[in-house]
Amino acid sequence: MATNEDNYDRAKELKQFDDSKTGVKGLLDSGLSSIPRLFVHPPQTLAGLKPSSSSSPPPISIPTINLSAPDSDRRSTIAAEISRAARELGFFQIVNHGISPEALDRTIAAVKAFHEQPPEVRSRFYRREMGTGVSYLSNVDLYQSKAASWRDTLQVRLGPTRPAPEQVPEICRDAVAQWDREVVRLGEVLMDLVGEGLGLGAGRLTELSCLDGRTMVGHYCPQPDLTVGLGSHADPGVLTVLLQDHMGGLQIKYGEVWVDVKPVPGALVINIGDLLQIMSNDEYKSVDHRVLANSNREPRVSIAVFFNPSTRDKVFGPLPEMVSPEKPAVYRQFTYSEFMQRFFTKELDGKSLRNYFKL
């Protein structure tokens, strides 16, 4: 006798969901009573995804670094704090970064407003390719992953060439342009401080076009708490600047333990990407992180800007300054184009991208 297991056609369900062009928000709006099977993760993945009720303290906390007056006599202290966090955890939060609370709130509100438009409005932007520089989709690795994460994403390529204004959804057009200006200014400061922590000369990472290839993703994770908001993964690029709302749920992996990155009012979360770990010859860490299932009725909104090189044919690998007879190169040389091609052919929750380039 045939069972539901026998009759399940995953490829068909994936295509139906993708063809709807309305994401997980569309599933919720349709009044679904259970989560579709393509979003159901195996028990080992779901284990530990609920916040712990344990009263024992976490093994470590994510440092919050005061970025005020980076050009004063505090600079060496700030660079040292960033370097320590980048080497030990790969993550830190920054406050007094020069972006106003109003700008943070405006950006979150604009991305939330896009995702909560009527389906016929937002579906006009639904596409998997980034030909226009703007796309709305659910799960960049939808067809590669074993189970989909419960989120939708507005993705905007901000550099090296910005999309034409009319290609960005009108409801968040001005906010996205303003956020890009704020993040570029902050990125210039961070790139120098991160480089100084490695002993690199001023402007070294900027010279390598690490500020120029920017992509923004605005994630929207609505209510159900029975699945994964964002599966475990490491970011592929140089640096990530993340604005998260008050909902929380972000965790990083520290050894074999998951540690909460608790929202700090007015803070931005910064993390090291795979490419920077490679360039630093393993001095800095790019670590796995994930988003817990959301047990609240309120959606979780987060906006990440990924800083990447803009020159796809440029060759990358450990920087010459980071290689010595005592510490030979851990990775081979490769073009950025090869690097990103590898990223887009693997599922997010899979083998580390860095491992493909190890010597």
Side-chain angles (χ1 to χ4, degrees), residues 225-243:
D225 62 347
L226 302 177
T227 188
V228 177
L230 184 57
S232 172
H233 68 287
D235 292 344
V238 179
L239 274 186
T240 302
V241 176
L242 175 74
L243 167 60

Side-chain angles (χ1 to χ4, degrees), residues 21 25-26 47 55 68 91 105 107 115-116 155 170 175 187 197 200-202 211 218 221 248 302 312 340 352:
K21 300 181 184 296
K25 181 68 166 61
S55 59
S68 65
F91 267 77
D105 292 344
T107 307
H115 285 285
E116 294 183 349
Q155 189 168 268
E170 185 177 6
L200 301 176
L211 269 173
C221 302
S302 61
R312 298 187 74 84
M340 291 310 294
S352 167

Side-chain angles (χ1 to χ4, degrees), residues 10 12 23 39 43 51 81 123 126 145 163 191 193 343 356-357:
R10 179 176 175 78
K12 181 179 179 181
F39 293 97
E81 289 178 353
S123 66
Y126 195 96
S145 63
M191 286 291 176
L193 288 167
F343 174 72
Y356 292 103
F357 300 96

Side-chain angles (χ1 to χ4, degrees), residues 52-59 262:
S52 172
S53 58
S54 168
S55 59
S56 60
K262 293 181 178 175

